[in-house]
């Protein structure tokens, strides 16, 4: 999930760094050192050891199974077009005794299967990204799939709203005129999971008040309708944002779109960037936190020009005005706040210290962020020894703890981290080294949906879900 010329896997392939383990600050703080997850043969951690898949797609614990919901380029949409490439983040919604999945497609320009242009659903006919919506039965069997937004670029992550819609984010800053685009990009769009018709003339409306930059993910506070946003960018590194709605705004289906098209809608509410303080001292970069449990006070700084007319939003601030982070990625609302992920950091990219992943928790009540999980630098991502790197998308598990999609070097996993701090593998990609994307549970907690971005698989995982063993 990067737009930088040197991607994550290429970068790690050129480094040789010591492993520091994984730690999480939760109800019980714990340190998990390298290899601990596989140190004792037969030890049941999480849901137990992974069983190799004879079909070489997905290794899962005993008792778990998967269904391939769709395959990019092979499965067809309801109108007969091939399912688009590069499925990324998912928004999962209840639908009778099944689910509806709104799936992002992280398509820039040259991927083999673009999102088809559909009347009333297309923002920019010169762009090939967007979202499709998949309907599935109770066990993940696909019953249909259609375009719900077209004409966008690099739809990476997003977030579910409290009123039951999906906010899909463009991870780009591309301008009209580049690569054949007819409009500016770098916006957030709202998609209704109800039906294709429910989005016609509505989903292609950019929510410009949320800013134009390389958006990654969002989380929405159900109490205030405030929206928190991550930015995956560098030179300089990205920022964590908060949008506060204007007085009198009430969140609900269509409310964001109505605000966007109202007079002055492009600058409605306030968009601010995060500044962290450690005992009154400015924190320049989140990577300087090297111990789980570190807590910083948060201040919010107004964005001067949220549409970045001449200067990228992240470059509009002096060094002491904001707190930056390399690779701000997934985000999920839970436990009264926003969990958000920094995928990795290296001193060579301007970071203060090096790590292979952080999970932070922003508490709006106390106006603080706390480092919950720290992944030390993985010494050898090519071996499966209980070390992990490059967490990306995140979801809060209904069974406790969080689930992270690994987008690092070497072997790719779905990683669980228990509330007590124990990491474990839920699944292993046995098809290739492509990243996992978009983990999200069905409303009843019985099915975990997740994607393998290349060659483009949407998967449904079922099994004996419960609180994972430490």
């Amino acid at each position: 999930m990067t737009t930088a010329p040197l991607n994550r896997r290429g970068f790690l392939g050129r480094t040789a760094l010591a492993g520091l383990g994984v730690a999480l600050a939760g109800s019980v703080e714990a340190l998990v050192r390298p290899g601990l997850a596989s140190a004792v043969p037969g030890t049941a951690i999480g849901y137990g050891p992974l069983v190799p898949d004879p079909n070489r797609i997905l290794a899962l614990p005993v008792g778990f199974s998967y269904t391939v919901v769709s395959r990019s380029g092979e499965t067809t949409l309801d109108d007969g077009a091939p399912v688009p490439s590069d499925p990324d983040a998912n928004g999962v919604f209840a639908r009778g005794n099944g689910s509806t999945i709104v799936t992002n497609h992280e398509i820039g320009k040259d991927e083999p299967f673009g999102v088809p242009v559909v009347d009333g659903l297309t923002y920019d006919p010169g762009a090939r990204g967007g979202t499709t919506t998949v309907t599935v039965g109770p066990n993940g069997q696909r019953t249909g799939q259609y375009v719900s937004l077209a004409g966008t670029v690099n739809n990476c992550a997003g977030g579910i709203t409290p009123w039951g819609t999906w906010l899909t984010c463009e991870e780009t800053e591309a301008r009209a005129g580049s690569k054949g685009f007819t409009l500016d990009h770098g916006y957030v769009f709202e998609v209704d999971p109800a039906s294709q018709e429910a989005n016609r003339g509505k989903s292609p409306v950019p929510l410009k008040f949320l800013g134009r930059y390389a958006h990654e993910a969002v989380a929405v506070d159900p109490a205030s309708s405030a929206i928190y946003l991550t930015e995956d960018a560098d030179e300089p590194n990205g920022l964590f944002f908060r949008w506060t709605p204007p007085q009198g705004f009430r969140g609900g289906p269509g409310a964001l779109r109505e605000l966007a098209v109202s007079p002055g809608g492009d600058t409605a509410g306030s968009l601010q960037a995060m500044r962290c303080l450690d005992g009154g001292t400015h924190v320049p970069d989140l990577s300087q936190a090297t111990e789980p449990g570190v807590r910083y006070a948060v201040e919010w700084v107004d964005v001067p020009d949220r549409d970045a007319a001449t200067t990228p939003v992240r470059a509009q601030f002096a060094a002491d005005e904001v707190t930056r982070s390399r690779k701000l990625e997934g985000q999920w609302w839970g436990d009264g706040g926003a969990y958000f992920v920094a995928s990795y950091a290296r001193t060579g990219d301007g970071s203060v210290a090096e790590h292979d992943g952080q999970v932070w928790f922003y508490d709006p009540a106390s106006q603080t962020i706390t480092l919950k999980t720290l992944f030390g630098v993985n010494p050898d991502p090519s071996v499966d020894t209980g070390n992990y790197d490059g967490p990306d998308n995140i979801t809060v598990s209904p069974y406790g703890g969080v689930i992270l999609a690994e987008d690092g070097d070497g072997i790719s996993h779905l990683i669980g981290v228990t509330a007590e701090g124990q990491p474990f593998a839920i699944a292993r990609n046995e098809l290739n080294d492509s990243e996992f994307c978009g983990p999200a549970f069905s409303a009843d907690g019985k099915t975990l949906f997740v994607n393998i971005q290349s060659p483009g698989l949407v998967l449904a995982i079922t099994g004996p879900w419960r609180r994972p063993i430490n």
Side-chain angles (χ1 to χ4, degrees):
M1 292 187 182
T2 178
T3 56
L6 178 61
N7 66 24
R8 166 69 174 156
R9 297 175 185 276
F11 187 97
L12 271 186
R14 303 177 195 184
T15 64
L17 299 155
L20 300 176
V22 182
L24 181 143
S27 57
V28 178
E29 292 192 16
L31 173 67
V32 182
R33 301 188 183 280
L36 182 60
S38 58
V40 182
T43 300
I45 294 175
Y47 297 103
L50 302 182
V51 179
D53 177 13
N55 295 318
R56 296 194 58 79
I57 295 176
L58 207 61
L60 295 167
V62 172
F64 286 80
S65 61
Y66 68 89
T67 298
V68 177
V69 178
S70 72
R71 297 174 184 262
S72 296
E74 296 184 24
T75 308
T76 56
L77 301 172
D78 295 350
D79 63 4
V83 168
S85 300
D86 291 2
D88 206 294
N90 293 318
V92 179
F93 304 87
R95 176 182 173 272
N97 63 352
S99 298
T100 296
I101 313 164
V102 182
T103 298
N104 283 358
H105 295 275
E106 193 181 22
I107 296 172
K109 193 64 181 175
D110 300 323
E111 288 79 0
F113 304 102
V115 177
V117 170
V118 178
D119 287 345
L121 299 174
T122 303
Y123 169 64
D124 177 357
R128 303 175 67 240
T131 65
T132 59
T133 298
V134 191
T135 56
V136 298
N139 296 314
Q141 314 98 321
R142 177 181 172 276
T143 59
Q145 189 168 358
Y146 56 83
V147 173
S148 43
L149 171 67
T152 54
V153 178
N154 283 341
N155 294 71
C156 195
I160 292 173
T161 69
W163 45 89
T165 60
W166 173 248
L167 296 179
T168 179
C169 300
E170 290 187 302
E171 188 190 350
T172 184
E173 296 172 303
R175 288 286 198 183
S178 66
K179 301 182 180 180
F181 301 144
T182 65
L183 296 170
D184 289 345
H185 291 269
Y187 297 115
V188 179
F189 299 79
E190 185 173 26
V191 178
D192 191 329
S195 66
Q196 186 178 62
E197 200 57 37
N199 290 292
R200 203 173 297 277
K202 298 176 181 178
S203 63
V205 175
L207 306 179
K208 293 187 177 181
F209 51 78
L210 296 178
R212 194 183 70 82
Y213 49 87
H215 288 274
E216 182 71 27
V218 302
V220 184
D221 184 341
S224 66
S225 296
I227 300 177
Y228 298 90
L229 308 103
T230 54
E231 179 186 28
D232 182 3
D234 59 4
E235 297 181 347
N237 287 338
L239 302 173
F240 185 67
F241 296 93
R242 178 184 71 177
W243 176 78
T244 303
Q247 188 173 5
F249 175 83
R250 284 192 168 187
L256 294 175
R257 180 186 59 82
E258 291 172 10
L259 182 61
V261 300
S262 67
D266 289 359
T267 55
S270 61
L271 184 66
Q272 299 169 305
M274 181 180 70
R275 178 178 186 246
C276 295
L277 298 170
D278 183 9
T281 302
H282 173 64
V283 176
D285 193 282
L286 291 181
S287 66
Q288 79 174 47
T290 58
E291 293 290 339
V294 167
R295 179 175 295 182
Y296 297 137
V298 169
E299 296 180 346
W300 296 99
V301 184
D302 290 340
V303 172
D305 171 23
R306 68 182 81 184
D307 205 51
T310 59
T311 304
V313 170
R314 66 186 180 282
Q316 296 174 22
F317 300 93
D320 61 351
E321 288 185 297
V322 291
T323 299
R324 301 187 182 279
S325 177
R326 183 75 171 104
K327 296 296 294 175
L328 286 174
E329 298 273 8
Q331 191 174 191
W332 197 272
W333 186 270
D335 302 326
Y339 289 91
F340 65 97
V341 176
S343 188
Y344 70 91
R346 297 290 183 268
T347 55
D349 60 38
S351 300
V352 176
E354 300 192 336
H355 63 72
D356 262 342
Q358 294 175 327
V359 178
W360 291 89
F361 179 76
Y362 173 71
D363 181 358
S366 64
Q367 294 280 291
T368 60
I369 62 168
T370 302
L371 181 59
K372 290 290 186 178
T373 309
L374 177 66
F375 288 71
V377 176
N378 190 344
D380 190 356
S382 66
V383 297
D384 198 6
T385 57
N387 295 328
Y388 310 111
D389 60 281
D392 197 317
N393 291 161
I394 184 174
T395 189
V396 176
S397 171
Y399 303 96
V402 299
I403 294 173
L404 299 159
E406 192 177 23
D407 178 20
D409 201 17
I411 300 170
S412 290
H413 302 86
L414 270 183
I415 309 161
V417 183
T418 70
E420 294 78 15
Q422 175 69 62
F424 62 94
I426 295 175
R428 181 177 62 241
N429 176 359
E430 297 200 318
L431 181 64
N432 54 32
D433 66 354
S434 178
E435 65 181 283
F436 280 107
C437 308
F441 277 93
S442 59
D444 61 11
K446 294 181 179 179
T447 305
L448 176 64
F449 295 98
V450 68
N451 307 330
I452 295 177
Q453 189 167 89
S454 179
L457 303 182
V458 178
L459 304 161
I461 301 173
T462 55
W465 297 109
R466 51 169 167 71
R467 186 175 182 85
I469 296 171
N470 279 283

